[in-house]
Structures are given as structure tokens and as C-alpha cells.
Amino acid sequence: MSPLQIAHSVLLLLAHVPISLANLDDGGGAYRNLLQEPQAPVAHQVNHLSSEGGFNGGVRDVHGEAATASTLSLAEDTGVPSMSAADIVQNTSPPGRDLSHLSVLQNARPEDVKLEPYPYILLKNALPKEIYDHLAKTYPNDKTLFSISGKTTLMKPNFRYDIRSAQTMVNRDKLDPMWIDFVQYHISPAFYQDVVRVFGPALEKRRPDFIKDGTVHNLMEKKSTMRYAEDQSTDLTMDCQVGMNSPVSRKSSVRGPHHDTPGELYGGLLYFRNPADKSIGGDLQVLACKGGKCKEVPESEKRKRGMSTSRNHEHFDYRDLTVAATAKYKANTYVMFINTLSSVHAVTPRHPTKFSRKLVNFVAEMVKRNPDGSVFIKPNNAAKLAGKHN
């Protein structure tokens, strides 16, 4: 069987596994009741979910039309209908459920967005207390996170480890049910619409390349899906990564001043600091370039300036920057920004500590296109959806 067939078979089985509620505390009564709602059989979930995303269902899409040629056909020995890559992931989510109570932007307003030096928002107490407390209580420990992330070497100090959304879906038996829903919501079309609600004007002004990309030029009508599940109708892919920066043995920064890759549309971090963690550092800095012009330091000059020469650790010299804002590494703090070539940010040096820097990373990327305008589908996408680590 191919990796795509394996992914489909595994996820279909997981969709029928009853969700354990034993580890939900008494404070999560409303969520407990929500999880106990009856679930439709997998064969019927596609049409329910397509009302949100409009993707091609295994039988019919939201418009009642047959699946298109972009549908990926599975071999006959799987005994299941042909389904698109997006369906494979979406079929693991119960139908007809509103998960907006888990949104990191539920308390955000467009007027909360700061436009300079680039569009960003900083939210304290981003999630309702009962939601945050339960997620914090059930946050995967360092060993579990390291294991699911697929790393096989020894854990490095102050190093970033993440569980990709696809890995979360495949390893849902190892994570709390609320975490599954949390990740699922933040890679859904519903969350993309929430992003547009808050950042729409900023996106139109700062990312006209995204507006013009593809055949759909209206922000609200752009099609999103989980990373690695894109097809020919996709405009952007989304990931919600449960992660950490590992414990620190000596004072160091996980990342110096830099901007993210140009194809990234937005980035966000939600902090889950351990109450017992009294260490210094780990804050995210929003940086402004002096004179309004951001100029990266050539690799050949970094050593002369005393900068790190590690690959992609830092692109800019602190002496050319000023700190516009700081997102303190505090529990339930969320920072999000629209990515541009001037969206320079950095993480302040962390002092030695036995605690990991717990965070969830939110990211969206424009799809890559072939010269003819079609979406470039990476050859290893099927393996990524199957939870492979390559």
C-alpha cells in the first residue's frame, strides 16, 4: 500500500475509536457534553464538513457535484471510496460541530491590530480560562512531544520541536481530545475566516501578492486546507503545531532577528508557560528597522559584526533595529503577525532552566505554483499526511 493509502486506512480506523473522557476534569463539563454528541458514520461526514470548507467529498461536495479529477484515487484493496487528501484529515473530525470556542482570535477585534512596524496583534488571556487551564493541564510532556515529532537523535538544548497537524491527527490516541479539536479548528476554513475578520485590511495592504495569486482574488473566497493536503483548488495551507523549545543548559537564543520565508502569510504563537518556571527570557520581540528600511546582513559580514553564522539563525543586526513591542513568555498570551520582508522578530535569550518553553505555532503559507499556474504538489505530501517524519 502507498503512504496515502496507509494514511487513509489509519485515519478511518481512528475516526471510529471512542474518545476517552476519563482525563477531563470536572471544570470541563460543557466540553464533556460536547464530546458525547453522537457522531455520524465516516461515509456521511464528508458532506457535513464540506459546508465549511467546500472541498471535494468522497461522494459529493457541498454543491452536490461529483468529485473532480483532482481527487486522489486509492487502490481497490483498501475497500474505501476515492477521497481527496483534504478529506483524509477532515474525516477524523465530528460533523456539524462549532469549535469557535477554541479560537485564539475569539476575543480579537480588527482595531486591536497594530499596523507598525508591521501588522501584529498581542492578546493577553487569549483563551477562556477554563479552556486554557484544561489545555495546559493536558499539554503533552517533553518526552511525548519529542517522540511524536519523530526526532531520533538525543534532545538538543534550547531546540525547537513541533508536532505537525498531520502528526496530531495520526497520533490522536496519544493526545487529549480537546487538543485534537484545538488543532483541527486552527487548520480549518473557519479559522482562516476568523483571520480575515481580524487582519483583512492589513492583508490587502501588505500582502497584495496573496490577493492576486491564483484565480480567486477575494480574501473571503480563498480556499484553505491543512498543510500537505493541498489540491489544485487550494490557495493557502495551514498548520497548528504543538511544540516546545527544549530546556536550556547555557544562556542562548533559539532565534535571532529574522523574518520568515516570503511564502508564509501569517505566524502566531500561543504560550503555555509552566507556573513553576521562573527562568528569564523566551519573549518574542517585534522589531522595527531603523530608518524604515530593513536590510539583511550578508553572510560574509556576519562574523565581522559578531553575529551568529549558524544557518538562518539571524538575518539582521540588532544595532540596525529597535524594539517596537515585546510579547512576554506568559501563560495564555498570544501574538500574531502578518509576514512581510519587514516583519522582523526575535526571541530573547533564555537562561539555564530545566523547563521547556511550551508554545503552539500557527502558520499559513501560500501554495507554490508551477509555471502554468497550477498548484505544485510536493512528492512527499502523502508521506507527511501519514505522519512520516521526512
Side-chain angles (χ1 to χ4, degrees):
M1 294 174 64
S2 70
L4 187 58
Q5 294 168 341
I6 294 172
H8 184 228
S9 299
V10 170
L11 292 175
L12 280 180
L13 286 172
L14 290 174
H16 286 292
V17 175
I19 298 176
S20 174
L21 302 175
N23 56 354
L24 287 178
D25 56 32
D26 292 338
Y31 195 74
R32 183 192 305 267
N33 293 335
L34 191 63
L35 287 174
Q36 288 177 324
E37 292 179 357
Q39 298 184 19
V42 172
H44 299 295
Q45 290 185 14
V46 175
N47 287 335
H48 281 285
L49 286 162
S50 62
S51 63
E52 284 190 339
F55 57 77
N56 293 323
V59 182
R60 298 280 169 176
D61 67 11
V62 66
H63 303 296
E65 299 172 349
T68 66
S70 65
T71 300
L72 301 176
S73 179
L74 301 176
E76 293 180 0
D77 63 356
T78 63
V80 296
S82 298
M83 306 182 78
S84 71
D87 297 336
I88 293 173
V89 178
Q90 296 284 10
N91 266 352
T92 66
S93 178
R97 284 176 52 196
D98 179 5
L99 300 177
S100 59
H101 63 288
L102 300 176
S103 176
V104 291
L105 290 177
Q106 61 186 280
N107 296 316
R109 304 168 300 171
E111 54 265 37
D112 295 328
V113 176
K114 307 296 183 184
L115 298 178
E116 298 298 335
Y118 49 85
Y120 73 93
I121 196 168
L122 179 55
L123 301 172
K124 297 178 181 179
N125 299 315
L127 296 174
K129 185 178 185 304
E130 63 275 13
I131 297 294
Y132 175 83
D133 287 349
H134 182 78
L135 290 173
K137 181 179 179 180
T138 58
Y139 204 98
N141 61 41
D142 292 3
K143 182 178 180 180
T144 298
L145 199 154
F146 181 77
S147 173
I148 297 177
S149 73
K151 305 301 181 183
T152 56
T153 58
L154 293 176
M155 189 182 295
K156 301 177 183 178
N158 203 16
F159 193 81
R160 177 73 166 269
Y161 297 96
D162 291 304
I163 303 175
R164 300 189 305 263
S165 298
Q167 292 170 320
T168 294
M169 296 300 107
V170 173
N171 292 278
R172 55 194 292 140
D173 59 321
K174 300 176 184 177
L175 300 169
D176 184 84
M178 188 184 286
W179 272 111
I180 305 302
D181 281 352
F182 183 85
V183 170
Q184 189 74 27
Y185 175 78
H186 288 98
I187 57 173
S188 72
F191 181 62
Y192 168 68
Q193 294 295 322
D194 214 11
V195 172
V196 173
R197 175 184 66 83
V198 177
F199 282 98
L203 281 168
E204 291 178 343
K205 182 176 182 180
R206 300 296 184 94
R207 292 305 301 262
D209 57 322
F210 176 60
I211 306 296
K212 298 174 183 177
D213 184 62
T215 59
V216 177
H217 302 146
N218 185 309
L219 271 179
M220 297 298 288
E221 296 176 1
K222 294 278 189 180
K223 182 186 174 183
S224 63
T225 191
M226 191 192 77
R227 183 183 275 178
Y228 312 122
E230 60 265 32
D231 59 25
Q232 290 304 318
S233 65
T234 305
D235 295 298
L236 76 156
T237 62
M238 306 164 70
D239 211 346
C240 176
Q241 304 166 336
V242 183
M244 68 172 177
N245 294 129
S246 53
V248 183
S249 56
R250 62 181 178 84
K251 182 180 177 181
S252 59
S253 173
V254 69
R255 198 76 195 271
H258 68 285
H259 60 64
D260 295 343
T261 57
E264 180 180 304
L265 196 64
Y266 66 72
L269 292 174
L270 177 65
Y271 293 138
F272 283 84
R273 184 170 189 150
N274 189 312
D277 181 3
K278 307 301 181 183
S279 62
I280 299 172
D283 307 327
L284 186 130
Q285 295 176 317
V286 175
L287 301 169
C289 301
K290 293 179 179 178
K293 293 185 178 180
C294 297
K295 185 178 180 180
E296 295 186 36
V297 177
E299 293 294 329
S300 58
E301 293 185 19
K302 287 184 177 180
R303 189 178 297 277
K304 300 176 186 177
R305 294 196 181 203
M307 296 170 60
S308 171
T309 56
S310 298
R311 181 176 178 270
N312 280 333
H313 178 76
E314 54 187 353
H315 302 153
F316 301 88
D317 189 334
Y318 259 117
R319 290 170 289 190
D320 299 330
L321 307 166
T322 59
V323 179
T326 300
K328 290 287 188 180
Y329 176 49
K330 290 186 176 181
N332 205 8
T333 294
Y334 181 65
V335 59
M336 184 176 188
F337 60 89
I338 299 302
N339 185 51
T340 70
L341 293 179
S342 62
S343 299
V344 184
H345 53 286
V347 179
T348 59
R350 297 174 64 207
H351 289 228
T353 177
K354 66 179 182 180
F355 292 97
S356 58
R357 177 176 177 250
K358 296 182 183 298
L359 54 88
V360 179
N361 183 45
F362 305 79
V363 63
E365 295 179 333
M366 295 170 56
V367 295
K368 294 182 179 180
R369 296 190 183 276
N370 297 310
D372 64 358
S374 61
V375 176
F376 172 69
I377 307 297
K378 295 179 182 178
N380 64 348
N381 274 7
K384 294 279 191 179
L385 283 178
K388 303 298 183 182
H389 313 302
N390 59 330

